[in-house]
Amino acid sequence: MIGRITGVLATKQPPQVLVDVNGIGYEIDVPMSTFYNLPALGEKISLLTHLAIREDAHLLYGFGSEIERAAFRELLKVSGIGAKTALSVLSGLSVNDLSAAIAGQEIGRIVKVPGIGKKTAERLLLELKGKPVFAGAIAAASEAEHISDDVRQALLALGYNEREAGLAMQKLPAGLPVSEAIRQALKLLSKG
């Protein structure tokens, strides 16, 4: 199984990229969430992959994060969901949004994805409920939301308005502890 491809990004045309690895070009289909975060052409790239072997083709699917690949693999286990549909789901919803829809059994969010009808959405919600991949994504999103609220409240308490606080928070990297996030937000605001 091919688990990761590292090389130079040769071409990118949604949803496919071509990665040149020492003179061999690998065509890899990626969800739009990964596509939007790709570097410029000619830059080095590393994608986690899933190899699907069919009777008529060997297909590679690439992902920017382990959580996306794990979600893709869980989606493939749902009856009626193939690789193209799974990519479409991950292109239409982030893993966190999908996890929240599964936790809340929100069929409306799922049917907005092109190619997903009501029956498929119901099956997807039923079969993915309680899967560790999606439970972990919800916990991580909840923690990030909590940190975000703390940073926003600190900035408002220091006299910044809602708009300034929001703009500074958009520029912060993910995964910062609250104290570091506040420090960096203040640094950004002092430059502005």
Side-chain angles (χ1 to χ4, degrees):
M1 169 94 60
I2 299 172
R4 184 179 69 198
I5 297 278
T6 300
V8 175
L9 184 59
T11 62
K12 53 182 181 178
Q13 295 177 338
Q16 193 171 79
V17 298
L18 181 72
V19 180
D20 184 314
V21 181
N22 297 324
I24 298 173
Y26 290 91
E27 292 179 344
I28 305 170
D29 285 352
V30 297
M32 294 311 291
S33 53
T34 297
F35 191 86
Y36 292 137
N37 292 315
L38 291 173
L41 293 179
E43 302 264 332
K44 187 173 181 177
I45 184 174
S46 187
L47 294 172
L48 296 168
T49 59
H50 175 85
L51 175 63
I53 299 175
R54 295 191 333 215
E55 202 173 285
D56 60 340
H58 291 228
L59 303 168
L60 269 176
Y61 299 95
F63 307 92
S65 68
E66 181 57 47
I67 190 81
E68 273 188 329
R69 180 171 67 175
F72 177 80
R73 288 176 172 168
E74 286 298 331
L75 284 164
L76 290 179
K77 293 176 186 176
V78 175
S79 58
I81 302 279
K84 294 286 185 200
T85 305
L87 274 186
S88 181
V89 169
L90 291 176
S91 292
L93 295 168
S94 70
V95 176
N96 289 338
D97 289 343
L98 178 58
S99 299
I102 292 167
Q105 294 293 292
E106 300 174 38
I107 196 167
R109 287 173 92 171
I110 307 292
V111 296
K112 288 181 182 174
V113 174
I116 301 286
K118 186 176 180 192
K119 287 191 187 275
T120 304
E122 288 171 348
R123 190 175 331 108
L124 192 144
L125 290 175
L126 179 67
E127 292 186 33
L128 295 179
K129 187 173 183 163
K131 296 289 184 184
V133 168
F134 300 108
I138 290 172
S142 174
E143 168 123 2
E145 194 173 298
H146 173 69
I147 289 171
S148 176
D149 286 345
D150 288 349
V151 173
R152 180 181 306 282
Q153 291 304 319
L155 293 174
L156 293 174
L158 290 169
Y160 293 99
N161 65 37
E162 191 73 38
R163 185 180 124 325
E164 292 169 324
L167 289 172
M169 289 172 54
Q170 286 177 356
K171 296 177 184 175
L172 294 176
L176 290 176
V178 174
S179 59
E180 181 62 18
I182 293 170
R183 191 180 72 71
Q184 287 192 24
L186 289 171
K187 192 184 253 186
L188 288 167
L189 288 165
S190 69
K191 290 178 184 176

